[in-house]
């Protein structure tokens, strides 16, 4: 563990393990680096893995207000500059950060899992934001979590239960360690969701990404993640998609072989070269 400095002078606590080429992991919303221990362990025999808590977590600096995703990109840029890494993996909101960062940072290869983009009317519905923020203002964290959970996983049977039942389930979930973390961070998760909405637009806005890209979705996650990847793959010059069988939205933290093996292969494969686009139609 070491502390590095962000462009605004804030500290970033960097956790590094493994041997091999450098790979930075950018975690999702509502969680901390703790949830990615299995992913890091299963990559560390092939890569030097760098991971850090994004702002607002226990060992991280506070966010600047008003919050924007540019803070996240600046912090990731500091990590890349310090480590020399040019490869990054992002999950959920972390995937959004990596994709936005790839437009201006020196990233050569990126892999994103369940990127929650809004691409001109495609992607996760935004109808949950107002009621979830209202629940936060009312001090009802369980209700807010129930609303957010149904928006992220609308395909699940639990999401079709009445809101009162889902709220009761989330109240019990808040007694667990992961639940307490997600409850404490749900306000930040909603602020992040507002940033996703702020950047809604055509997929072509990402066409300037020159990094080789692996666009991953979980087969048990919401279908809009796979749809988003297909839209991105059609415009990114060097991209391919991967749909992981049996994998839910948090599947990257579970790190099954069906994900880890093609992910590691993507980062260890010979570079295609700037003039040799990857096959955007193919799923690996």
């Amino acid at each position: 563990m070491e502390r590095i400095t962000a462009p605004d002078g804030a500290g970033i606590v960097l956790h590094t393990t493994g041997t091999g080429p450098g790979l930075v992991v950018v975690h999702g919303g509502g969680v901390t680096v703790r949830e990615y221990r299995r992913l890091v362990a299963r990559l560390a025999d092939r890569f030097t893995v760098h991971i850090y808590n994004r702002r607002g977590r226990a060992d991280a600096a506070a966010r600047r207000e008003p919050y924007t995703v540019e803070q996240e990109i600046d912090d990731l840029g500091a990590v890349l500059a310090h480590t020399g890494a040019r490869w990054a993996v992002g999950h959920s909101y972390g995937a959004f950060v990596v994709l936005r960062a790839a437009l201006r940072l020196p990233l050569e290869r990126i892999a994103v899992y369940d990127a929650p983009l809004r691409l001109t009317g495609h992607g996760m519905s935004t109808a949950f934001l107002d009621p979830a923020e209202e629940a936060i203002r009312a001090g009802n964290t369980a209700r807010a979590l129930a609303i957010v959970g149904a928006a992220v996983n609308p395909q699940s049977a639990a999401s079709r239960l009445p809101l009162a039942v889902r709220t009761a389930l989330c109240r019990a979930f808040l007694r667990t360690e992961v639940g307490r973390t997600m409850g404490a961070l749900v306000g930040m998760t909603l602020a992040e969701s507002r940033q996703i909405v702020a950047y809604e637009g055509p997929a072509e806005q990402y066409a300037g990404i020159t990094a080789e890209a692996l666009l991953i979705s979980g087969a048990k996650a919401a279908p809009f993640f796979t749809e988003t990847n297909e839209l991105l793959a059609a415009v990114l010059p060097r991209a391919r998609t991967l749909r992981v069988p049996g994998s839910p939205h948090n599947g990257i933290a579970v790190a099954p072989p069906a994900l880890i093996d093609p992910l590691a292969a993507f980062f260890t494969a010979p570079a295609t070269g700037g003039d040799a686009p990857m096959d955007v139609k193919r799923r690996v």
Side-chain angles (χ1 to χ4, degrees):
M1 183 178 73
E2 60 181 323
R3 184 176 293 271
I4 65 175
T5 305
D8 65 355
I12 301 170
V13 177
L14 187 63
H15 305 265
T16 299
T17 187
T19 57
L23 180 64
V24 180
V25 175
V26 184
H27 68 74
V31 294
T32 70
V33 297
R34 182 179 178 82
E35 279 66 55
Y36 296 81
R37 290 172 296 177
R38 186 175 297 175
L39 173 70
V40 171
R42 291 184 175 176
L43 292 173
D45 63 336
R46 287 163 281 193
F47 306 96
T48 301
V49 185
H50 310 283
I51 191 168
Y52 59 98
N53 274 318
R54 295 194 288 105
R55 296 198 186 200
R57 275 80 180 168
D59 66 354
R63 289 178 167 178
R64 299 191 310 273
E65 296 298 335
Y67 169 73
T68 71
V69 71
E70 292 300 315
Q71 295 176 41
E72 310 280 4
I73 297 171
D74 287 344
D75 289 352
L76 175 56
V79 172
L80 296 177
H82 178 79
T83 62
R86 293 294 179 265
W87 300 345
V89 177
H91 172 218
S92 195
Y93 188 75
F96 173 67
V97 171
V98 168
L99 286 165
R100 298 304 310 179
L103 290 167
R104 69 173 174 89
L105 295 182
L107 286 162
E108 297 172 357
R109 293 189 185 188
I110 60 173
V112 295
Y113 186 101
D114 280 1
L117 306 186
R118 289 285 301 171
L119 299 178
T120 313
H122 297 277
M124 183 170 63
S125 170
T126 61
F128 73 99
L129 285 168
D130 286 345
E133 289 168 345
E134 181 180 349
I136 291 293
R137 289 192 293 271
N140 194 336
T141 301
R143 182 182 177 91
L145 282 178
I147 293 169
V148 172
V152 175
N153 295 291
Q155 80 291 350
S156 72
S159 295
R160 293 190 289 272
L161 295 171
L163 178 57
V165 175
R166 288 186 278 120
T167 300
L169 293 172
C170 285
R171 195 169 292 117
F173 177 56
L174 283 166
R175 296 195 199 68
T176 69
E177 183 178 358
V178 174
R180 286 190 293 271
T181 298
M182 294 187 72
L185 296 173
V186 67
M188 291 185 185
T189 300
L190 294 173
E192 293 170 355
S193 298
R194 289 292 183 187
Q195 281 294 288
I196 293 168
V197 173
Y199 284 89
E200 179 171 356
E204 285 76 11
Q205 68 180 295
Y206 294 96
I209 294 175
T210 58
E212 296 185 25
L214 180 62
L215 310 173
I216 312 169
S217 60
K220 290 185 68 176
F224 54 71
F225 292 119
T226 296
E227 179 187 45
T228 293
N229 287 351
E230 296 292 347
L231 291 170
L232 283 177
V235 299
L236 266 63
R238 304 164 71 199
R240 64 180 63 170
T241 61
L242 168 66
R243 193 163 184 259
V244 184
S247 190
H249 183 57
N250 70 335
I252 192 169
V254 178
L259 169 61
I260 295 299
D261 292 346
L263 181 65
F266 166 72
F267 281 112
T268 55
T272 61
D275 297 324
M278 300 169 77
D279 180 1
V280 299
K281 301 297 185 183
R282 176 176 171 239
R283 284 200 181 106
V284 295

